[in-house]
């Protein structure tokens, strides 16, 4: 028995207890991402170029503080406002349903100015003729009698910097107004200004727009003013809110919006839980059916694994997203890989005549390097996903990365403790397992030229299809534009919806029925970076609900595309370096060529299926890369072991073929368990995760072929 057995038992108990304490009760300890609870995320760009150089240094930080103050007054529960880079701010608003109101509050500069209106008729005539006198501004003002030109002194007499409060009030006609109160200095300025300009108009200008221009009838010594402008109660309330919070130090523009309605959020939770249940259930059934007692012990390790992941998510304060649920399901399938490796190694040791205790000890020792290398390879992918991804993709990366840590602990420590306990009580225990395949002697390398030909042909067809589709391969994240998912209460024909969109002037709308026809849901895509025309067209067809909105500006789409390409590059490089250090560079090159083959093959199938590449697709592709190299590393680890062992009389090709056959059962069953999770996501995860799940299913399936036929063949031919 392991001499550290007692310490390991205490460690397992402590980890499980701490994890349960961290995440229980889950409804209170684990927060949900916007895609599950509903809400909106805005990416703002601070226009620093409109500020003098000396004011740019901390402008973005000040924007964050002002927006945070506004959102706090707005009453959003648990908002997230963070600076991203030098000139971007990310604003997450859970539970928001009124998108336009939220965008107005967040994005309004709220720069308040009071300016004297010129009463010089000659100067106004010059301005009307196109020559604006120096020191003046020429603007249109919507007064009581309609639109009229107005000439303002360019220098304001007072600004919102002196404002101390703003509140909603009502004028003598019962119309909402915004009442203002200035500080002492502002009050003195206002007093002096009104005293010196009796009979003139005083324009109240907000963000360059004149809201009112009343005539000064008398001196106003109390530092009070008001803004009128035919407001609704809500508009007056929002305006007073942003004025109280202060003006933004620099203008901002919304360059990306992602909104999920509460209905879609609830639906995503239900479907995500359903997918997680069935994906996990299939794995939990398979292990004891095939590996019997060892399978039951593996399931104990998986239970601890699940508890650990939940505890770490809660402990780190990470939000659970729909891709995060997908990562959780997949990481269960990957976690069972270590248990399959260990069980197969124990089987081999038992076949040599060793007793249960010796077989368990040798099995864990022999499987350790393969488990370590494969988990590190996937962890590298998760880290790169985290730093290159945004929003829900980070949630997926966090879950996947934490899953690798929990997998190592549960498979190497938890199950070992249980095995040691069982074998201590019965050293002569027979660890029986099913053996459906027996010892295989397949000639995987014999037809490697056919494998090369198949790969070149299929990848070539896929790349051609991808090239022919061009920009149609990409979703709005990578092309810019707007995607709106809408649900109608009554049936609507696709052609009718398209006609309504074209009537409203929506540029080149692409309309697609979404989900089941009975749900009356559509996805509308357009290259325009605004959803207002789409919503107006939709409103003309009956009662509807906006379920989801993605708006991405061209600058953001270009940046996301660049980040996606760099993510693939850095993942490949990271895996290449790690495998090169752990094995040899020829092993590393074979592994990287194989994983890039899987990515290109999946791209081709994706293009042929007519689907669009989006951020979740990129996450799925990187996951495929991690999984592909995971499988390949296990084969290569066995090759390395056999090269050091007692098969030196065989040629290198024979050693590789022997290694593939030795790991054949493990490859099939690991792939089967991972596909359990991927198919559960595809069948039960809903439309929001369908493209992601489809990508994984294709990638995992081709990964089996690559592991058995392509990667070993490349390795053998590179050694010739």
């Amino acid at each position: 028995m392991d001499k550290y057995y007692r310490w390991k038992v205490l460690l397992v108990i402590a980890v499980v207890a701490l994890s349960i304490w961290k995440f229980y009760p889950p409804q209170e300890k684990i927060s949900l991402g916007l895609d599950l609870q509903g809400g909106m995320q805005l990416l703002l760009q601070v226009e620093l170029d409109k500020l003098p150089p000396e004011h740019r240094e901390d402008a973005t930080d000040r924007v964050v503080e002002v927006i945070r103050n506004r959102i706090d007054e707005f009453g959003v529960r648990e908002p997230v406002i963070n600076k991203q880079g030098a000139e971007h701010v990310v604003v997450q608003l859970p539970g928001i349903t009124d998108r336009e109101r939220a965008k107005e509050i967040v994005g309004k500069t709220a720069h308040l100015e009071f300016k004297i209106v010129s009463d010089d008729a000659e100067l106004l005539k010059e301005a009307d003729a196109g020559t604006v006198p120096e020191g003046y501004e020429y603007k249109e003002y919507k007064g009581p009698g309609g639109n009229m030109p107005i000439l303002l002194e360019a220098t304001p007499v007072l600004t919102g910097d002196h404002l101390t409060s703003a509140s909603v009030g009502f004028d003598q006609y019962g119309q909402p107004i915004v009442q203002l109160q200035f500080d002492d200095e502002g009050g003195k300025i206002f007093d002096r200004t009104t005293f010196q300009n009796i009979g003139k108009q005083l324009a109240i200008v907000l963000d360059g727009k004149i809201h009112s221009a009343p005539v000064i009838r008398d001196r106003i010594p109390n530092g009070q003013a008001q803004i009128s402008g035919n407001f609704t109660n809500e508009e007056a309330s929002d305006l007073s809110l942003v004025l109280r919070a202060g003006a933004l130090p620099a203008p901002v523009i919304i360059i990306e919006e992602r909104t999920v309605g509460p209905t879609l959020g609830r639906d995503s939770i239900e479907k995500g839980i359903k997918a997680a249940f069935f994906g996990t259930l299939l794995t939990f059934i398979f292990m004891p059916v095939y590996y019997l007692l060892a399978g039951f012990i593996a399931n104990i390790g998986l239970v601890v694994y699940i508890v650990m992941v939940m505890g770490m998510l809660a402990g780190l304060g990470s939000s659970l997203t729909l891709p995060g649920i997908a990562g959780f399901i997949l990481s269960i399938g990957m976690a069972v890989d270590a248990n399959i490796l260990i069980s197969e190694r124990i089987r081999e040791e038992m076949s040599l005549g060793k007793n249960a205790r010796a077989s368990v000890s040798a099995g864990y020792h022999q499987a350790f390097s393969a488990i370590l290398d494969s988990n590190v390879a996937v962890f590298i992918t998760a880290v790169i996903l985290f730093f290159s991804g945004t929003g829900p993709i980070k949630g997926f990366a966090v879950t996947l990365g934490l899953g690798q840590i929990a997998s190592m602990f549960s498979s190497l420590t938890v199950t070992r403790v249980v095995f040691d306990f069982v074998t201590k009580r019965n050293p002569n225990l027979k660890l029986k397992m099913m053996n459906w395949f027996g010892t295989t002697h397949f000639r995987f390398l014999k037809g490697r030229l056919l494998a090369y030909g198949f790969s070149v042909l299929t990848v070539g067809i896929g790349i051609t299809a991808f090239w022919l589709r061009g920009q149609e391969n990409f979703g709005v994240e990578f092309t810019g534009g707007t995607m709106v998912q809408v649900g109608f209460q009554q049936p609507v024909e696709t052609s009718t919806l398209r006609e309504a969109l074209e009537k409203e002037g929506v540029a080149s709308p692409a309309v697609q029925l979404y989900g089941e026809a009975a749900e009356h849901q559509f996805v509308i895509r357009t290259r325009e970076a605004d959803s207002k025309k789409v919503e107006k067209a939709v409103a003309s067809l009956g009662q509807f609900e906006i379920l989801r909105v993605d708006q991405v500006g061209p600058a953001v789409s270009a940046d996301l595309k660049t980040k996606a390409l760099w993510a693939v590059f850095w993942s490949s490089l990271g895996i290449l370096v790690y495998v090169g250090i752990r094995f040899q560079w020829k092993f590393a090159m074979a592994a990287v060529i194989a994983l890039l083959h899987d990515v290109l093959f999946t791209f081709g199938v994706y293009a042929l299926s007519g689907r669009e590449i989006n951020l979740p697709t990129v996450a799925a592709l990187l996951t495929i890369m991690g999984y592909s190299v995971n499988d390949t590393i296990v084969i290569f680890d066995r090759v390395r072991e056999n090269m050091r062992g007692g098969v030196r009389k065989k040629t290198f090709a024979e050693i590789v073929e022997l290694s593939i056959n030795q790991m054949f059962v493990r490859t099939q069953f690991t792939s089967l368990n991972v596909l359990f999770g991927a198919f559960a996501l595809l069948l039960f995860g809903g439309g929001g995760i369908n493209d992601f799940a489809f990508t994984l299913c294709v990638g995992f399936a081709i990964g089996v072929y690559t592991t058995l036929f392509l990667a070993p063949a490349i390795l053998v031919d590179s050694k010739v």
Side-chain angles (χ1 to χ4, degrees):
M1 178 180 292
D2 190 340
K3 62 180 179 179
Y4 299 111
Y5 173 75
R6 289 185 178 85
W7 289 107
K8 287 183 178 180
V9 171
L10 292 175
L11 178 62
V12 170
I13 293 172
V15 168
V16 171
L18 179 62
S19 298
I20 293 174
W21 176 66
K22 281 292 185 181
F23 84 83
Y24 187 82
Q27 63 270 23
E28 297 178 9
K29 299 288 186 68
I30 297 180
S31 61
L32 300 178
L34 295 182
D35 57 341
L36 293 180
Q37 64 174 311
M40 69 188 304
Q41 174 175 301
L42 302 173
L43 179 62
L44 311 177
Q45 180 174 339
V46 183
E47 296 186 289
L48 297 178
D49 57 331
K50 294 188 177 180
L51 295 178
E54 63 271 15
H55 294 161
R56 296 177 185 176
E57 184 176 351
D58 63 344
T60 305
D61 294 307
R62 287 183 285 137
V63 166
V64 170
E65 290 306 313
V66 171
I67 292 176
R68 182 173 288 115
N69 292 336
R70 292 180 181 181
I71 297 303
D72 287 344
E73 288 216 30
F74 192 40
V76 177
R77 181 174 169 268
E78 297 182 355
V80 177
I81 302 104
N82 291 320
K83 178 181 176 182
Q84 187 178 87
E87 56 184 31
H88 293 107
V89 177
V90 176
V91 181
Q92 294 183 351
L93 306 174
I96 286 293
T97 55
D98 192 336
R99 296 172 41 247
E100 294 304 321
R101 185 183 177 196
K103 286 159 66 175
E104 181 74 10
I105 288 174
V106 169
K108 184 183 284 292
T109 305
H111 183 53
L112 179 65
E113 298 173 308
F114 291 80
K115 296 184 176 183
I116 297 296
V117 179
S118 173
D119 56 2
D120 190 322
E122 290 300 321
L123 291 180
L124 181 60
K125 186 181 292 186
E126 289 181 26
D128 284 336
T131 304
V132 179
E134 187 176 349
Y136 288 89
E137 294 177 349
Y138 184 70
K139 290 182 177 292
E140 285 282 329
Y141 167 53
K142 187 176 182 180
N147 289 341
M148 57 184 293
I150 196 170
L151 193 63
L152 310 176
E153 293 182 4
T155 303
V157 294
L158 185 63
T159 68
D161 293 341
H162 294 287
L163 194 67
T164 59
S165 70
S167 59
V168 179
F170 297 91
D171 61 18
Q172 65 268 34
Y173 305 107
Q175 293 297 312
I177 59 174
V178 177
Q179 296 175 326
L180 309 176
Q181 178 67 55
F182 299 104
D183 58 21
D184 289 342
E185 184 181 352
K188 292 176 183 177
I189 296 172
F190 199 60
D191 179 18
R192 184 172 61 253
T193 299
T194 54
F195 176 68
Q196 294 174 349
N197 293 279
I198 292 175
K200 292 185 177 181
Q201 286 179 279
L202 181 64
I204 302 174
V205 185
L206 183 67
D207 293 343
K209 178 183 177 183
I210 302 174
H211 277 263
S212 58
V215 176
I216 302 172
R217 302 296 183 186
D218 202 354
R219 178 179 184 178
I220 304 176
N222 55 9
Q224 293 182 346
Q226 66 182 40
I227 305 175
S228 58
N230 296 320
F231 298 121
T232 65
N233 286 335
E234 188 176 89
E235 288 170 342
S237 175
D238 290 348
L239 179 55
S240 64
L241 183 157
V242 297
L243 289 173
R244 285 195 304 272
L248 294 175
V252 299
I253 54 174
I254 298 172
I255 57 176
E256 181 182 14
E257 176 196 346
R258 298 185 187 278
T259 300
V260 175
T263 301
L264 186 59
R266 288 191 297 270
D267 183 61
S268 296
I269 292 175
E270 293 171 2
K271 290 180 177 178
I273 291 174
K274 190 174 183 180
F277 173 77
F278 282 104
T280 305
L281 179 64
L282 290 171
T283 298
F284 271 80
I285 291 173
F286 170 79
M287 290 302 291
V289 165
Y290 189 78
Y291 290 106
L292 305 179
L293 177 60
F296 279 108
I297 293 173
N299 281 353
I300 293 173
L302 289 177
V303 170
V304 174
Y305 162 84
I306 293 171
V307 171
M308 282 184 64
V309 172
M310 299 294 283
M312 287 190 287
L313 282 173
L316 293 174
S318 299
S319 297
L320 185 63
T321 63
L322 186 57
I325 293 176
F328 177 73
I329 297 170
L330 291 174
S331 58
I332 288 177
M334 293 180 179
V336 83
D337 174 40
N339 292 301
I340 291 175
L341 273 170
I342 291 167
S343 297
E344 290 295 331
R345 283 293 195 166
I346 291 174
R347 184 208 300 274
E348 290 181 20
E349 299 299 326
M350 293 282 289
S351 67
L352 298 175
K354 297 180 181 179
N355 63 24
R357 185 180 298 180
S359 297
V360 167
S361 178
Y364 275 88
H365 176 73
Q366 297 288 357
F368 175 78
S369 62
I371 293 172
L372 174 66
D373 290 335
S374 57
N375 276 273
V376 169
V378 178
F379 189 78
I380 289 171
T381 303
V383 170
I384 291 170
L385 258 178
F386 179 81
F387 285 106
S388 63
T390 59
I393 303 306
K394 283 186 180 290
F396 172 78
V398 169
T399 308
L400 191 64
L402 294 179
Q404 302 313 301
I405 297 171
S407 172
M408 290 280 288
F409 181 80
S410 64
S411 59
L412 295 176
T413 303
V414 176
T415 58
R416 179 65 187 272
V417 165
V418 179
F419 267 121
D420 283 349
F421 175 78
V422 171
T423 56
K424 179 184 178 183
R425 295 173 63 89
N426 186 359
N428 297 315
L429 177 69
K430 298 296 183 184
L431 290 171
K432 295 182 179 180
M433 304 175 192
M434 303 293 286
N435 191 3
W436 296 341
F437 291 92
T439 303
T440 61
H441 300 282
F442 298 124
R443 301 292 300 278
F444 292 101
L445 296 176
K446 184 177 181 180
R448 61 182 183 272
L449 292 179
L450 291 176
Y452 291 153
F454 171 79
S455 294
V456 170
L457 178 64
T458 53
V459 170
I461 291 172
I463 291 176
T464 302
F466 188 84
W467 178 74
L468 290 174
R469 287 191 72 204
Q471 287 291 96
E472 294 181 11
N473 287 295
F474 302 102
V476 294
E477 288 100 336
F478 299 128
T479 61
T482 300
M483 188 283 291
V484 179
Q485 182 179 340
V486 60
F488 291 96
Q489 291 193 3
Q490 300 296 328
V492 173
E493 294 293 330
T494 303
S495 57
T496 304
L497 176 56
R498 185 176 287 107
E499 288 172 4
L501 292 166
E502 292 173 350
K503 184 177 179 181
E504 286 297 330
V506 178
S508 305
V511 181
Q512 179 183 358
L513 190 65
Y514 188 86
E516 300 293 331
E519 295 176 341
H520 315 311
Q521 292 185 19
F522 293 87
V523 168
I524 305 163
R525 294 179 175 86
T526 172
R527 298 304 182 197
E528 294 186 13
D530 195 342
S531 63
K532 289 182 180 178
K533 290 182 181 179
V534 173
E535 292 176 43
K536 189 175 179 181
V538 167
S540 68
L541 300 179
Q543 291 187 312
F544 70 97
E545 179 183 1
I546 296 295
L547 300 172
R548 180 181 166 197
V549 176
D550 285 348
Q551 290 180 193
V552 182
V556 176
S557 64
D559 182 57
L560 291 174
K561 190 182 292 185
T562 301
K563 283 185 175 180
L565 292 172
W566 277 112
V568 173
F569 171 78
W570 287 118
S571 290
S572 303
L573 182 61
I575 291 169
L576 176 68
V577 171
Y578 181 77
V579 177
I581 293 172
R582 289 288 293 165
F583 293 83
Q584 299 174 15
W585 288 107
K586 289 183 178 180
F587 282 76
M589 288 301 298
V592 170
I593 292 171
L595 68 87
L596 290 177
H597 164 271
D598 290 351
V599 170
L600 291 174
F601 182 93
T602 306
F603 259 128
V605 173
Y606 218 75
L608 290 169
S609 69
R611 295 172 182 258
E612 292 182 344
I613 296 170
N614 48 36
L615 287 175
T617 307
V618 174
L621 288 168
L622 290 172
T623 305
I624 290 168
M625 291 172 66
Y627 174 75
S628 175
V629 79
N630 175 3
D631 253 8
T632 303
I633 281 175
V634 172
I635 300 289
F636 287 179
D637 182 79
R638 195 55 176 255
V639 172
R640 179 175 58 182
E641 180 185 334
N642 285 332
M643 289 173 65
R644 295 170 179 170
V647 290
R648 295 183 182 275
K649 294 181 180 180
K650 293 181 178 290
T651 65
F652 181 70
E654 291 171 336
I655 291 174
V656 171
E657 198 144 62
L658 172 66
S659 302
I660 302 172
N661 279 285
Q662 288 173 330
M663 304 308 298
F664 178 74
V665 172
R666 173 264 162 202
T667 299
Q668 302 311 303
F669 289 155
T670 296
S671 301
L672 184 65
N673 276 280
V674 175
L675 282 169
F676 282 161
F679 275 118
L681 286 170
L682 187 65
L683 295 175
F684 306 114
I689 206 74
N690 186 268
D691 287 343
F692 178 87
F694 175 82
T695 308
L696 291 175
C697 287
V698 173
F700 290 157
I702 194 62
V704 177
Y705 155 80
T706 304
T707 299
L708 296 177
F709 294 96
L710 190 60
I714 296 172
L715 178 63
V716 168
D717 288 335
S718 68
K719 297 283 284 189
V720 174

